């Protein structure tokens, strides 16, 4: 099977899962009244009363979701930077790919924006009206369209518990991920706050520049970096850190040249680098 065919299958599977989930929600998480009102939810009066609010409510959801996503992403990324500075002064600091901090903000914006919007409305308005509005949207085919008939607030709360909470936990475990480089050592702090690995620059035996890594179809994906081989057989690579780049930072390249005085080889991927010979000297 080609990579394109597998990708198409993956996208199709997502669509099937979403459709099946919506059907399951309508069946098992059916819309119900909050118990704070006695009005008929299918009355035309409620339609006339609440439909004019549709644009403002959806606009509020988008604003709330956007603010949540930006604020939470900034909090996560800044915390990662702050934790990296606890190691003390460093000549260079390498951080994880910035995309990993978007999973929680993105899913959080999707699952929490409706609830946060209603809570904000209730804070500055009448909670009974907000609950009536929420109950009405669950029964209205004109507000949400095809997704009516299920209790949207319960569905999203369960999503927050079952999906968003684990995402937050897994993301929080990555907050301490960083690597710092000085003239004496490389300190690599990995996932889940594990003890950091230390590589002594005095034990460095070889430096190789790579273009990226090879995908299953044989193509090279550009993620340039420097690969360091040490006397004890361990290997460390800057390509494991940061965003995908087509070239190595010239300032870092000059820095490594200056402190190691080692010739820097160049290959396509780290798989093209032979194993370091036992007992190899600087």
């Amino acid at each position: 099977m080609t990579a394109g065919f597998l990708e198409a299958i993956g996208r199709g599977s997502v669509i099937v899962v979403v459709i099946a989930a919506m059907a399951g929600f309508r069946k098992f998480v059916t819309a119900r009244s909050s118990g704070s009102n006695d009005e008929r939810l299918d009355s035309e009066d409620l339609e006339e009363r609440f439909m004019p609010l549709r644009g403002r409510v959806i606009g509020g959801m988008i604003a709330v979701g956007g603010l949540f996503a930006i604020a939470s992403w900034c909090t996560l990324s800044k915390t990662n930077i702050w934790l990296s500075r606890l190691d003390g002064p460093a000549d260079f600091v390498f951080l994880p790919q910035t995309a990993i901090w978007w999973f929680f903000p993105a899913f959080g914006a999707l699952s929490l924006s409706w609830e946060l919007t209603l809570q904000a409305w209730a804070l500055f308005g009448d909670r009974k009206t907000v609950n009536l509005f929420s109950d009405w949207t669950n029964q209205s085919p004109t507000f949400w369209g095809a997704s009516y008939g299920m209790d949207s607030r319960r569905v999203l709360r369960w999503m927050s518990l079952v999906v968003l909470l684990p995402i937050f936990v897994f993301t929080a475990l990555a907050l301490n991920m960083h690597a710092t480089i000085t003239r004496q050592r490389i300190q690599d702090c990995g996932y889940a706050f594990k003890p950091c690995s230390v590589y002594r620059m005095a034990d460095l035996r070889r430096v190789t520049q790579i273009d990226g890594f090879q995908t299953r179809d044989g193509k090279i994906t550009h993620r340039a970096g420097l690969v360091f081989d040490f006397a004890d057989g361990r290997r460390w690579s800057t390509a494991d850190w940061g965003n995908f780049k087509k070239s190595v930072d010239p300032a870092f390249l000059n820095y490594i040249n200056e402190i190691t005085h080692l010739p820097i080889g160049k290959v396509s991927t780290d798989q093209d680098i032979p194993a370091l010979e036992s007992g190899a000297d600087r």
Side-chain angles (χ1 to χ4, degrees):
M1 293 186 181
T2 65
F5 181 65
L6 290 174
E7 184 178 356
I9 291 177
R11 291 179 179 177
S13 299
V14 172
I15 295 174
V16 171
V17 169
V18 170
I19 293 174
M22 295 298 291
F25 289 148
R26 289 197 198 95
K27 182 176 181 180
F28 298 107
V29 194
T30 56
R32 64 185 183 184
S33 173
S34 62
S36 60
N37 63 81
D38 299 318
E39 299 190 49
R40 286 176 52 87
L41 297 176
D42 58 353
S43 70
E44 294 183 1
D45 290 341
L46 291 182
E47 187 91 7
E48 295 176 359
R49 178 182 176 185
F50 288 136
M51 272 305 293
L53 301 176
R54 185 172 185 268
R56 281 179 282 177
V57 172
I58 293 178
M61 284 180 60
I62 295 173
V64 168
L67 287 173
F68 175 88
I70 293 172
S72 55
W73 184 87
C74 288
T75 300
L76 291 170
S77 59
K78 296 300 182 183
T79 301
N80 178 231
I81 294 172
W82 177 75
L83 289 173
S84 72
R85 291 174 177 170
L86 296 181
D87 289 345
D91 296 324
F92 285 87
V93 177
F94 290 87
L95 300 173
Q97 189 176 358
T98 54
I100 71 171
W101 309 123
W102 276 115
F103 289 102
F104 174 75
F107 280 95
L110 290 173
S111 60
L112 295 176
S113 59
W114 177 239
E115 183 67 29
L116 291 176
T117 300
L118 294 179
Q119 291 295 341
W121 182 4
L123 184 64
F124 296 101
D126 177 38
R127 184 168 295 276
K128 184 176 180 180
T129 300
V130 174
N131 289 334
L132 176 60
F133 172 79
S134 176
D135 293 341
W136 170 78
T137 59
N138 293 334
Q139 302 283 9
S140 172
T142 56
F143 192 89
W144 288 126
S147 64
Y148 80 99
M150 65 180 181
D151 191 328
S152 57
R153 294 183 80 172
R154 276 201 297 158
V155 168
L156 293 172
R157 285 169 180 172
W158 274 107
M159 280 183 59
S160 299
L161 181 63
V162 177
V163 178
L164 186 60
L165 181 59
I167 289 176
F168 174 75
V169 172
F170 290 132
T171 302
L173 290 174
L175 285 173
N176 193 47
M177 289 180 63
H178 66 275
T180 56
I181 295 182
T182 67
R183 290 176 175 268
Q184 290 75 37
R185 66 179 188 175
I186 298 173
Q187 182 164 293
D188 185 302
C189 301
Y191 187 70
F193 292 84
K194 293 186 296 185
C196 302
S197 300
V198 176
Y199 304 81
R200 295 175 64 247
M201 283 298 190
D203 297 330
L204 183 61
R205 296 295 179 264
R206 182 173 63 196
V207 182
T208 310
Q209 184 175 346
I210 61 172
D211 295 323
F213 59 91
Q214 191 173 36
T215 58
R216 292 182 179 180
D217 58 5
K219 296 181 179 179
I220 299 296
T221 296
H222 288 284
R223 194 176 190 184
L226 293 183
V227 178
F228 299 79
D229 286 298
F230 293 87
D232 59 4
R234 292 187 297 168
R235 175 174 288 181
W236 185 84
S237 174
T238 65
D240 296 332
W241 295 92
N243 297 321
F244 285 43
K245 296 180 180 179
K246 291 186 176 181
S247 61
V248 177
D249 178 8
F252 181 67
L253 198 59
N254 291 335
Y255 171 81
I256 295 301
N257 265 320
E258 178 188 341
I259 68 172
T260 67
H261 304 292
L262 289 172
I264 299 179
K266 193 175 190 309
V267 296
S268 295
T269 71
D270 61 354
Q271 295 177 342
D272 300 321
I273 304 174
L276 193 66
E277 294 182 8
S278 177
D281 295 323
R282 266 183 100 164

